[in-house]
Amino acid sequence: MAGTNSERELLAEGPAIILVEPQLGENIGMVARAMANFGIAELRLVNPRDGWPSEKAQAAAAKADHVIDATQVFATLEEAVADLNFVFATTARQRDGFKEIRSPVTAASMLRERFSLGEKTGILFGRERWGLSNEEVALADEIVTFPVNPAFASLNIAQAVLLMSYEWMKSGMQDDAATPFQRVEQRPATKSQLIGLFDQIEEALDARNYFHPLTKKPRMIDNLRAVLSRPNFTEPEISVLRGVLTSLDRFQRRWPKGKGPATTGGEDEGNGAGDEA
């Protein structure tokens, strides 16, 4: 939705995010922020260690107030999932059991489909130190796990919630390669404008004895024009480059003491050094 931040639509839907016995208020706040980033709004806490509400969570949420203010607290996981029709449990390690295991992409697609049918869904996230118990996983319908480094599979709560929230957002996009904004359209430069750039650069270089020796000048000009014609410049880009050249030509070059044309006896040997600018 176009317009200023205050005019943009605030997405607030999707599955309930359920944190089981979270320990740090800062982590809860960062979870709320991750949810708000990708349009999920319902946060449920099961027996948070430091109680609720939490000033540390509020501060870490970075103004995701609509998530923090609506947060629900439950004494048990059974109470937290009681009204839900379908629940995923997140885990980074293999579990014994008979539950289906899904990737985040598949899980988000399934949640989106159930959401469109009016079902209430949720995603369980475990404790910071050791995740969910087998008994807690048993309360879920299926498992979702992340493709992480096998030797370093631990994710903190906010990271895990952000990954699932991101996949949730993508599952509702018609084109998951779309971006929220694009580069500003600019008119391509005309050949006349490009030739004007060639002429200005070549004149400036010629004045500084760049084309040395003269027998190589035609070939050097060909190479220079080949390089400058590759980027497909736009009109504003041509204007920027010509403005730079004009500025460089406006002032004398300042040579370090003991160097420059006055002390080298005339023309410089190397390309790029040269006479008075």
Side-chain angles (χ1 to χ4, degrees):
M1 186 173 181
T4 64
N5 288 336
S6 61
E7 296 172 336
R8 292 174 181 167
E9 179 184 4
L10 176 65
L11 299 177
E13 56 184 23
I17 299 299
I18 306 163
L19 307 186
V20 178
E21 296 185 354
Q23 296 176 341
L24 300 176
E26 293 91 338
N27 286 345
I28 299 172
M30 288 187 285
V31 164
R33 180 177 185 176
M35 292 168 60
N37 285 152
F38 297 104
I40 296 180
E42 187 176 354
L43 177 60
R44 301 183 180 189
L45 308 179
V46 177
N47 192 26
R49 186 189 68 180
D50 297 335
W52 193 261
S54 167
E55 291 183 1
K56 291 181 178 179
Q58 187 86 44
K63 298 186 179 180
D65 296 333
H66 63 291
V67 177
I68 292 293
D69 293 344
T71 297
Q72 303 175 67
V73 179
F74 300 85
T76 67
L77 180 56
E78 288 83 355
E79 292 173 325
V81 300
D83 64 327
L84 303 182
N85 304 109
F86 186 90
V87 176
F88 271 113
T90 60
T91 180
R93 64 181 188 272
Q94 187 170 350
R95 306 274 184 161
D96 296 329
F98 303 97
K99 296 188 185 296
E100 292 288 348
I101 301 173
R102 308 292 186 182
S103 71
V105 174
T106 302
S109 178
M110 292 172 61
L111 291 170
R112 178 70 64 174
E113 182 177 357
R114 289 178 177 275
F115 172 77
S116 67
L117 296 173
E119 294 186 22
K120 297 190 68 174
T121 62
I123 312 173
L124 305 183
F125 296 86
R127 302 155 187 84
E128 287 93 332
R129 294 185 62 186
W130 52 276
L132 296 166
S133 69
N134 289 334
E135 291 77 11
E136 289 160 347
V137 172
L139 291 175
D141 297 278
E142 297 188 9
I143 289 172
V144 57
T145 192
F146 304 101
V148 294
N149 181 354
F152 199 79
S154 177
L155 293 173
N156 69 35
I157 295 177
Q159 290 173 328
V161 170
L162 185 138
L163 287 173
M164 282 306 304
S165 301
Y166 173 65
E167 294 299 341
W168 164 260
M169 173 68 85
K170 285 199 325 182
S171 71
M173 297 171 61
Q174 291 184 344
D175 178 7
D176 62 11
T179 55
F181 55 87
Q182 290 77 38
R183 68 186 292 266
V184 177
E185 289 298 323
Q186 298 177 342
R187 288 173 55 85
T190 65
K191 296 304 178 187
S192 175
Q193 290 168 327
L194 188 59
I195 290 170
L197 175 64
F198 293 161
D199 291 342
Q200 186 176 358
I201 291 178
E202 290 162 15
E203 181 182 13
L205 292 174
D206 207 14
R208 290 159 177 79
N209 197 34
Y210 176 83
F211 301 112
H212 182 78
L214 289 177
T215 54
K216 293 185 178 181
K217 180 177 178 179
R219 180 61 177 170
M220 294 172 74
I221 287 177
D222 287 343
N223 290 340
L224 181 62
R225 292 193 173 204
V227 169
L228 292 173
S229 61
R230 287 182 62 187
N232 296 319
F233 288 121
T234 64
E235 288 183 348
E237 289 169 341
I238 291 286
S239 295
V240 168
L241 289 173
R242 297 201 66 173
V244 169
L245 292 169
T246 298
S247 179
L248 291 175
D249 265 340
R250 189 174 296 150
F251 302 99
Q252 284 189 331
R253 180 169 298 184
R254 294 184 178 181
W255 296 90
K257 187 176 181 181
K259 296 184 179 180
T263 60
T264 57
E267 291 184 349
D268 284 329
E269 295 294 330
N271 295 334
D275 298 329
E276 181 179 283

